[in-house]
């Protein structure tokens, strides 16, 4: 049984997850699911950070992931509060109807 | 063993992410995202990042996703409406997605011969090593994250107040 797998497999998985996050960002119409897609993209980037940290035997890559997690936690708190505020004002979470900043 | 574990949890990861896109109800998407995050924790463990595996479960799969499901339940969000969507997103977005995936994969595959392999018996980065760097070289950024979280909490409370933060 193969016991060593190439680092690039982890990186490819990370790229696929990131792409799925971008697709979700584009096709989903519910604001809260769009927000989940952003979390998916952050997670994909975290995976490549950990892979590179392992690749070069560095601790700093993992520390970056820690900081990304903290920023994601703060972002989730503020973002969900904004979602609640938007829902109160508009009574909808459909991104097609929340287009104040649309050109 | 490593290959089997990697394949199982990579498959879980991708299946969860695809399921997130296919589901129309936000609560189902949130549950799929929990699957993705939990399997990522196992992948971190395979890469020897034990602290991050625990933090992934606690912070992401625990705290952030509880927040998500809580908001979905609080707002009583229904099934997503099917609309035509943005034409710009279709015209520019999807080609851009393909290009991004193509560029990233090309770069990774070209660099593959320079990259090493991951073994299950590789050295594990212990929490002790991580905290040594975190509490010496990066003490100031670490302390600043507490300020960031505090500001985020205050901002969330101000935004979500009933009278709109007046």
């Amino acid at each position: 049984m193969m016991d060593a797998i190439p680092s690039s497999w982890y990186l490819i998985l990370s790229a696929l997850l990131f792409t799925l996050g971008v697709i979700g960002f584009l096709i989903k119409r519910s604001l809260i699911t769009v927000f989940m897609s952003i979390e998916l993209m952050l997670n994909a980037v975290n995976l490549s950070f950990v892979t590179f940290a392992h690749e070069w035997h560095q601790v700093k890559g993992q520390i970056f992931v820690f900081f990304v997690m903290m920023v994601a936690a703060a972002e989730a708190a503020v973002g969900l509060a904004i979602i609640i505020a938007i829902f109160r004002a508009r009574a909808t979470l459909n991104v097609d109807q929340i287009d104040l900043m649309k050109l | 063993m490593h290959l089997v574990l990697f394949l199982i949890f990579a498959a879980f990861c991708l299946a969860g992410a695809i399921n997130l896109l296919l589901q129309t109800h936000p609560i189902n998407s949130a549950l799929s995202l929990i699957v993705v995050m939990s399997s990522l924790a196992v992948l971190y463990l395979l890469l020897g990042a034990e602290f991050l595996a625990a933090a992934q479960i606690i912070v992401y799969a625990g705290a952030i996703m509880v927040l998500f499901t809580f908001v979905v339940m609080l707002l009583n969000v229904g099934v997503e409406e099917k609309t035509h969507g943005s034409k710009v997103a279709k015209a520019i977005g999807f080609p851009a997605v393909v290009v991004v995936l193509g560029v990233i994969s090309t770069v990774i595959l070209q660099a593959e011969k320079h990259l090493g392999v991951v073994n299950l018996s590789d050295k594990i980065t212990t929490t002790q090593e991580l905290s040594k760097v975190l509490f010496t070289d990066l003490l100031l950024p670490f302390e600043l994250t507490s300020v960031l979280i505090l500001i985020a909490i205050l901002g969330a409370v101000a935004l979500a107040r009933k009278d709109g933060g007046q």
Side-chain angles (χ1 to χ4, degrees):
Chain A
M1 195 177 287
M2 197 159 76
D3 204 37
I5 66 172
S7 296
S8 53
W9 291 20
Y10 283 97
L11 296 176
I12 295 280
L13 176 65
S14 156
L16 284 172
L17 279 180
F18 188 86
T19 316
L20 284 169
V22 178
I23 292 173
F25 191 86
L26 289 173
I27 66 168
K28 295 309 265 187
R29 301 262 67 87
S30 171
L31 191 56
I32 201 154
T33 333
V34 169
F35 206 61
M36 284 179 208
S37 304
I38 299 176
E39 297 289 330
L40 191 60
M41 286 191 264
L42 285 170
N43 271 280
V45 173
N46 278 353
L47 180 62
S48 54
F49 267 131
V50 178
T51 312
F52 282 123
H54 180 275
E55 174 74 28
W56 282 297
H57 309 288
Q58 289 270 328
V59 188
K60 294 242 166 102
Q62 296 194 15
I63 288 175
F64 247 96
V65 176
F66 175 74
F67 283 128
V68 170
M69 275 181 191
M70 289 306 119
V71 173
E75 174 240 347
V78 176
L80 290 169
I82 291 174
I83 286 177
I84 291 176
I86 287 176
F87 191 79
R88 282 225 182 90
R90 297 291 183 92
T92 180
L93 281 182
N94 192 332
V95 286
D96 290 332
Q97 283 156 34
I98 310 166
D99 49 6
L100 270 178
M101 291 167 82
K102 202 173 177 183
L103 288 173
Chain B
M1 192 62 191
H2 187 188
L3 181 71
V4 175
L5 280 175
F6 174 79
L7 288 179
I8 289 174
F9 285 100
F12 265 140
C13 237
L14 289 175
I18 291 168
N19 195 38
L20 190 154
L21 303 187
L22 294 180
Q23 295 296 330
T24 49
H25 202 287
I27 198 81
N28 293 335
S29 295
L31 294 177
S32 315
L33 197 54
I34 293 176
V35 172
V36 174
M37 284 163 175
S38 311
S39 14
L40 273 177
V42 179
L43 292 178
Y44 290 170
L45 214 50
L46 293 180
L47 286 165
E50 56 161 27
F51 174 73
L52 288 180
Q56 174 86 6
I57 294 283
I58 296 169
V59 176
Y60 264 125
I64 293 181
M65 293 319 294
V66 164
L67 216 58
F68 267 100
T69 45
F70 188 73
V71 169
V72 171
M73 288 190 290
L74 182 75
L75 299 183
N76 198 13
V77 188
V79 173
E80 181 178 19
E81 294 162 47
K82 276 287 155 217
T83 48
H84 53 88
S86 165
K87 286 190 184 66
V88 181
K90 283 202 173 65
I92 305 171
F94 289 110
V97 168
V98 175
V99 169
V100 165
L101 183 63
V103 168
I104 297 175
S105 318
T106 316
V107 170
I108 292 170
L109 291 176
Q110 273 183 351
E112 192 175 7
K113 50 186 170 294
H114 306 296
L115 291 173
V117 292
V118 182
N119 273 305
L120 209 51
S121 53
D122 282 347
K123 193 174 79 65
I124 288 175
T125 311
T126 56
T127 311
Q128 198 178 10
E129 288 172 62
L130 207 65
S131 50
K132 256 180 199 149
V133 181
L134 205 57
F135 290 131
T136 52
D137 297 349
L138 295 167
L139 184 63
L140 182 65
F142 178 72
E143 294 292 344
L144 281 177
T145 53
S146 61
V147 180
L148 175 78
I149 296 281
L150 180 67
I151 293 172
I153 293 169
L154 292 179
V157 170
L159 276 168
R161 268 167 67 181
K162 200 119 205 168
D163 52 0
Q166 298 304 311

